[in-house]
Amino acid sequence: MGLNYKRVNFELLKEELSSLDYEVLMRNKNDEKCFIILKEKFATATEHHIPTMQLGPITNPSWFLHEIKRLINARKQSYRKRNKRCQTELDRQQHISTYQVVKDRLPVRGRRNRQFSERHHEDLIAK
């Protein structure tokens, strides 16, 4: 569940928060207790005036196999390592070789290549 900020009723939220008598609420209390009271009042007001929305599950397309996900993660990890500590030529060459292997095994992006052939799909599973 997520909050739907596009449908917030700001007028009622503002009215509820401005109608509170903060002097009475926070009289004879230390800063920490005042903050806790203010936080609770704000949380209940937002709970009443900001509707929730159902978030659907994130689904991958049928062609997006576990193998493709693993390859993409390997490419990202290699890129992060390269940026973090590309001190030596060996690190750079290792990143380039990993990146090239992943690039060769991943399908090419583009409108014509969105749907993969059965042969390519079977090749990915076999590797």
Side-chain angles (χ1 to χ4, degrees):
M1 294 291 261
L3 296 177
N4 190 355
Y5 290 105
K6 292 180 180 178
R7 300 184 66 209
V8 177
N9 192 343
F10 284 108
E11 290 79 25
L12 289 176
L13 179 64
K14 185 178 178 181
E15 183 181 318
E16 183 174 334
L17 289 174
S18 63
S19 68
L20 294 173
D21 191 6
Y22 293 104
E23 289 181 21
V24 173
L25 283 173
M26 300 186 188
R27 186 178 300 143
N28 299 328
K29 294 184 176 69
N30 63 8
D31 293 340
E32 190 173 326
K33 287 185 180 181
C34 290
F35 176 74
I36 292 170
I37 291 170
L38 185 63
K39 188 171 113 178
E40 288 173 355
K41 295 296 181 184
F42 188 75
T44 56
T46 55
E47 188 177 296
H48 291 141
H49 301 293
I50 301 177
T52 57
M53 63 181 175
Q54 184 71 31
L55 300 175
I58 298 173
T59 58
N60 292 325
S62 60
W63 54 264
F64 195 79
L65 302 172
H66 179 68
E67 177 69 15
I68 293 174
K69 177 82 171 158
R70 190 184 65 74
L71 288 170
I72 290 172
N73 286 341
R75 181 177 65 187
K76 286 180 182 178
Q77 184 177 12
S78 173
Y79 186 74
R80 277 191 221 113
K81 277 184 182 177
R82 188 197 84 181
N83 283 344
K84 192 173 188 179
R85 56 167 191 127
C86 192
Q87 305 287 327
T88 65
E89 185 63 27
L90 180 64
D91 291 336
R92 187 177 165 288
Q93 289 299 326
Q94 185 179 8
H95 166 71
I96 290 171
S97 65
T98 303
Y99 192 83
Q100 196 61 41
V101 167
V102 170
K103 183 179 176 186
D104 291 342
R105 292 187 62 196
L106 283 178
V108 179
R109 289 184 185 178
R111 183 177 290 174
R112 285 181 272 160
N113 295 322
R114 279 192 190 153
Q115 294 181 347
F116 301 106
S117 65
E118 290 294 322
R119 193 177 114 235
H120 186 73
H121 189 273
E122 291 171 5
D123 287 347
L124 275 176
I125 292 174
K127 288 183 181 180

